[in-house]
Amino acid sequence: MSGPLLKVENLTKHYPLGAGFLKKTIPVVRAVADVSFSVAAGETLCIVGESGCGKSTVARLLMRLVKPTSGRVLIDETDIAVLKAHELRAWRRRMQMVFQDPYSSLNPRLTAGQIITEPVENWERLSRKQRKALAAELLRKVGMSPQMMDRLPSELSGGQRQRLGIARALALNPSLIIADEAVSALDVSVQAQILNLLLDLQQQIGIAFIFISHDLSVVEHIGHRVAVMYLGRIVELAACEALFANPVHPYTEALIAAAPVPDPTRVRLEAPVQGEVPSPINPPSGCAFHPRCPHAVNRCRIDVPRLVPMADGRAVACHVRAPDTDFPAQPSATATRSLTAG
Ligand code: SF4
């Protein structure tokens, strides 16, 4: 793998609730807060977390389907977060997206061949012969027969529709595909076929993936590195093997412990955490995980933990498991007073 293809720096997205007329402060949904990571060419970075943790908002921010509140998204040193619509068009070729529900993301009135060639025809005129040749080539690439190019999405199975979605994403030769819960709507056997197809494509053409999923077994199968998100922030970023063998952040530990274990010889780590994910409108102070964390200390209720690099190359945001030596180990006098008062 070479240097970073994509670099995300301090990405933040707040959604204001209402116009705030006559109100002094407008409540905001803090969907994504201070998220930073990079993706190398040919790498698969998985983003995991419970529903509402902000992982799909990160995907939309990377595709610039929504504008960030702050932060940078760099491709080849160009910040696409600030580009104007006409400048953005060229960069969109580099990144494509595969969605969770293949049926609703495919135009039901177009044939498979038209769906695949449509993105290319937005850029250049193709003759009938070129269109057919391109559709046949891309269908073959995703393991489908070129004879299916005249079929409508309604005439295809769920797995075939997802293959078609991948073929469409490949049409513009992107460097990176963002797959948002791309296999969650499929049967387990079809899931495996699609995951193997993605792995094959990566080996053949060196494409990078950002794979967003709530399913840890899928992530373990496909990821090189994993970013674990909780309430809009990355709490642990590690190589896939290291994360599953030895989760460091208490939330990662709980997620892995809560995941179904298909291997009866594998021992569960400890009981999963209790309680619901708090609202992103009014997140808990300090570490947002503190109301659910069995290891919380006073400082956790005050300071937001920073992602701290660890000796094995991972980064963890936790005052207890990865203390940040740039900050005082004990809460300040003022903070201690406010805690005692609260
Ligand atoms: Fe738990 Fe504190 Fe670590 Fe947050 S910072 S995960 S509350 S120990």
Side-chain angles (χ1 to χ4, degrees):
M1 280 176 237
S2 54
L5 169 74
L6 171 79
K7 209 167 167 203
V8 175
E9 293 177 352
N10 311 104
L11 200 59
T12 296
K13 180 66 187 173
H14 293 170
Y15 290 100
L17 292 177
F21 183 62
L22 295 181
K23 281 187 195 162
K24 281 196 181 127
T25 51
I26 306 166
V28 292
V29 176
R30 294 163 206 278
V32 173
D34 205 16
V35 161
S36 299
F37 60 82
S38 61
V39 182
E43 182 188 26
T44 300
L45 174 77
C46 296
I47 304 181
V48 295
E50 288 163 291
S51 154
C53 72
K55 53 192 190 303
S56 291
T57 307
V58 170
R60 281 187 221 116
L61 288 166
L62 297 183
M63 292 298 296
R64 259 292 298 274
L65 301 176
V66 288
K67 248 188 138 177
T69 306
S70 60
R72 307 205 302 161
V73 178
L74 298 158
I75 302 180
D76 293 341
E77 301 302 315
T78 298
D79 182 5
I80 62 160
V82 295
L83 291 182
K84 299 209 166 51
H86 68 278
E87 298 166 316
L88 191 62
R89 206 169 161 252
W91 290 96
R92 282 239 170 91
R93 290 191 75 143
R94 306 282 306 275
M95 288 200 286
Q96 293 291 307
M97 197 153 173
V98 175
F99 297 90
Q100 173 175 8
D101 181 356
Y103 197 55
S104 63
S105 66
L106 303 174
N107 187 333
R109 286 189 292 270
L110 297 185
T111 63
Q114 289 168 324
I115 287 170
I116 295 175
T117 54
E118 195 189 27
V120 180
E121 289 190 282
N122 288 335
W123 290 87
E124 54 193 277
R125 275 183 77 87
L126 297 176
S127 67
R128 200 161 170 264
K129 200 172 156 195
Q130 285 173 319
R131 214 177 294 140
K132 274 189 96 168
L134 178 65
E137 182 198 329
L138 287 163
L139 283 171
R140 267 193 224 101
K141 214 173 236 174
V142 296
M144 286 172 75
S145 162
Q147 287 168 352
M148 289 184 169
M149 74 171 73
D150 294 323
R151 294 208 191 157
L152 294 169
S154 56
E155 296 169 316
L156 300 172
S157 69
Q160 286 169 336
R161 281 183 215 133
Q162 197 53 297
R163 284 175 192 267
L164 189 57
I166 295 167
R168 180 181 57 182
L170 290 173
L172 289 170
N173 282 325
S175 318
L176 173 73
I177 289 183
I178 300 172
D180 187 5
E181 298 281 5
V183 296
S184 2
L186 305 172
D187 291 346
V188 178
S189 62
V190 184
Q191 272 190 13
Q193 291 169 16
I194 299 293
L195 292 176
N196 289 334
L197 168 66
L198 296 179
L199 289 171
D200 287 349
L201 287 171
Q202 192 167 57
Q203 275 188 353
Q204 285 164 27
I205 51 183
I207 201 159
F209 290 106
I210 292 182
F211 198 89
I212 293 166
S213 179
H214 66 279
D215 185 340
L216 290 180
S217 60
V218 166
V219 167
E220 195 172 11
H221 184 68
I222 199 167
H224 293 120
R225 285 187 305 140
V226 186
V228 181
M229 282 188 75
Y230 186 78
L231 219 62
R233 291 180 187 272
I234 292 181
V235 296
E236 183 161 1
L237 180 55
C240 197
E241 250 184 72
L243 186 112
F244 282 93
N246 175 30
V248 172
H249 193 281
Y251 178 61
T252 316
E253 206 173 65
L255 265 190
I256 293 176
V261 186
D263 177 0
T265 61
R266 197 149 130 191
V267 180
R268 277 179 178 268
L269 294 166
E270 59 183 63
V273 282
Q274 305 295 318
E276 298 293 317
V277 181
S279 163
I281 301 172
N282 189 17
S285 60
C287 171
F289 188 55
H290 85 252
R292 302 171 78 190
C293 180
H295 310 285
V297 295
N298 274 353
R299 187 181 176 187
C300 305
R301 296 175 187 89
I302 303 159
D303 292 336
V304 177
R306 204 172 62 93
L307 262 183
V308 175
M310 300 190 74
D312 67 353
R314 78 176 79 199
V316 178
C318 174
H319 295 309
V320 173
R321 300 273 172 91
D324 184 353
T325 46
D326 289 351
F327 282 81
Q330 295 301 316
S332 65
T334 334
T336 311
R337 269 200 302 281
S338 70
L339 246 193
T340 322

